[in-house]
């Protein structure tokens, strides 16, 4: 699992790649919570487009992050993975609780659009 | 010779693994079973679905089967049978008291708010057949069958 971040004006982009599953979910949770806590940006784009495998534990960790960050008044936007990992994400009806965009560019455009 | 040939013909390929009930085992098993099942004409997406189902079954063993004496033993068997793959995941852990309840979407015994209780839902969704046998205190056996959609279509 790889996690990188990029600070933009008003937005923190967190990019996750690799396998997000029962083995890696704990490290994912700790790392991205730390990145978000350390960032002053109010909006978070969680880019999962390079996630290659997602199981129910990884899904739970994603849902938990979205919930936690929203509770801390962050605006959360999500870029989903593709293939079966996307199906797994969709089965949680995530679209009801968080905005989902087809690409990071679209997510950033939308986030900027909300503000300006 | 005829007998020998028949014996070989009727011997479906099989796979058996025994592993500790650890999260790493879920990864090892899903990859190994997918490689094994790739002998059948599954699409890449179908193999990914099979991986999720196997990962959930073995992940359940890692998360729930042996709460006080982890890691315990997990056995995974797979066989190619009648154009599909049958995967069995067995543990000798605490068992499940109410299987129907455990299979409900969103049901979880975990106090961790990040646990979504979708494991059985994914096993059900991503395979063609799911059976769960369990005896509290004795263990659990999950049996899943998946067929390539192309093979199922050709038979109709």
């Amino acid at each position: 699992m790889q996690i990188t971040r990029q600070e933009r004006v008003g937005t923190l982009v967190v990019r996750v790649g690799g396998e997000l599953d029962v083995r890696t979910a704990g490290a994912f949770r700790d790392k991205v919570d730390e990145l978000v806590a350390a960032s002053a940006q109010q909006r978070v784009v969680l880019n999962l487009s390079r996630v290659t495998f997602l199981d129910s534990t990884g899904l739970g960790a994603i849902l938990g992050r979205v919930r936690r960050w929203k509770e801390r008044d962050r605006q959360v936007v999500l870029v989903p993975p593709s293939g079966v990992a996307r199906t797994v994400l969709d089965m949680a009806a995530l679209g009801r609780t968080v905005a989902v965009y087809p690409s990071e560019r679209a997510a950033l455009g939308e986030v900027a659009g909300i503000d300006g | 010779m005829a007998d020998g040939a028949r014996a070989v013909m009727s011997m479906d390929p099989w796979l058996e693994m025994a592993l500790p009930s650890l999260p790493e085992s879920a990864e090892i098993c899903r990859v190994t079973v997918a490689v094994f099942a790739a002998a059948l004409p599954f699409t890449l997406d179908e193999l990914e679905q099979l991986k999720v189902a196997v990962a959930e079954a073995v992940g359940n063993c890692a998360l729930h089967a042996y709460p006080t004496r982890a890691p315990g033993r997990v056995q995974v068997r797979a066989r190619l049978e009648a154009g599909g793959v049958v995967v069995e995941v067995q543990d000798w852990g605490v068992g499940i008291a109410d299987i129907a309840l455990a299979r409900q979407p969103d049901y979880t015994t975990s106090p961790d708010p990040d646990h979504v209780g979708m494991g059985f839902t994914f096993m059900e969704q991503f395979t063609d057949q799911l059976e769960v046998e369990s005896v509290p205190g004795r263990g659990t056996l999950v049996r899943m069958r998946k067929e390539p959609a192309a093979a199922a279509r050709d038979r109709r």
Side-chain angles (χ1 to χ4, degrees):
Chain A
M1 186 183 53
Q2 307 86 40
I3 297 172
T4 60
R5 57 147 195 173
Q6 189 180 15
E7 299 266 356
R8 292 171 163 255
V9 179
T11 305
L12 170 70
V13 179
V14 179
R15 302 187 184 104
V16 184
E19 302 177 337
L20 184 43
D21 62 6
V22 66
R23 189 173 54 88
T24 60
F28 160 78
R29 182 188 59 209
D30 294 349
K31 180 69 185 172
V32 296
D33 275 349
E34 188 188 305
L35 291 178
V36 170
S39 172
Q41 316 304 339
Q42 197 256 324
R43 306 165 201 129
V44 180
V45 173
L46 182 60
N47 183 349
L48 304 169
S49 61
R50 300 203 168 191
V51 168
T52 54
F53 182 84
L54 184 61
D55 71 2
S56 68
T57 308
L59 176 65
I62 294 168
L63 296 175
R65 306 287 60 68
V66 169
R67 191 172 54 232
R68 179 189 173 95
W69 298 342
K70 287 171 97 175
E71 281 168 9
R72 284 160 175 71
D73 294 324
R74 307 286 181 138
Q75 182 194 337
V76 187
V77 168
L78 212 115
V79 183
S82 52
V84 173
R86 171 71 196 256
T87 310
V88 167
L89 196 69
D90 286 348
M91 281 171 66
L94 200 65
R96 267 192 253 142
T97 54
V98 65
V100 177
Y101 292 97
S103 68
E104 187 177 304
R105 181 185 288 262
L108 286 168
E110 183 63 30
V111 163
I114 286 169
D115 228 23
Chain B
M1 190 205 149
D3 279 348
R6 194 167 57 232
V8 171
M9 293 284 283
S10 68
M11 202 192 305
D12 296 316
W14 81 92
L15 170 79
E16 271 188 45
M17 296 184 277
L19 305 95
S21 60
L22 295 172
E24 298 88 297
S25 298
E27 184 184 20
I28 294 166
C29 291
R30 75 175 191 242
V31 172
T32 309
V33 170
V35 170
F36 176 77
L40 296 172
F42 283 114
T43 64
L44 287 179
D45 265 7
E46 285 171 335
L47 288 176
E48 283 299 313
Q49 292 169 354
L50 181 64
K51 279 190 198 172
V52 175
V54 171
E56 296 298 346
V58 179
N60 268 353
C61 298
L63 293 170
H64 305 299
Y66 301 97
T68 56
R69 52 192 177 97
R73 178 184 168 87
V74 178
Q75 190 167 304
V76 177
R77 289 180 295 269
R79 59 181 185 272
L80 304 184
E81 191 181 271
V85 63
V86 177
V87 184
E88 293 179 340
V89 177
Q90 187 166 11
D91 68 67
W92 291 266
V94 292
I96 302 168
D98 188 336
I99 294 170
L101 183 63
R103 288 176 63 159
Q104 299 263 321
D106 305 332
Y107 176 80
T108 179
T109 54
S110 173
D112 185 339
D114 282 1
H115 277 230
V116 286
M118 297 275 287
F120 278 119
T121 305
F122 290 150
M123 288 182 235
E124 208 151 65
Q125 181 76 18
F126 291 141
T127 65
D128 299 310
Q129 215 177 314
L130 171 69
E131 292 164 17
V132 185
E133 297 168 19
S134 189
V135 179
R138 299 285 290 279
T140 302
L141 172 65
V142 170
R143 185 180 299 111
M144 299 175 280
R145 178 180 166 83
K146 188 171 181 66
E147 280 182 33
R153 200 170 51 236
D154 291 347
R155 265 207 313 283
R156 282 199 288 270

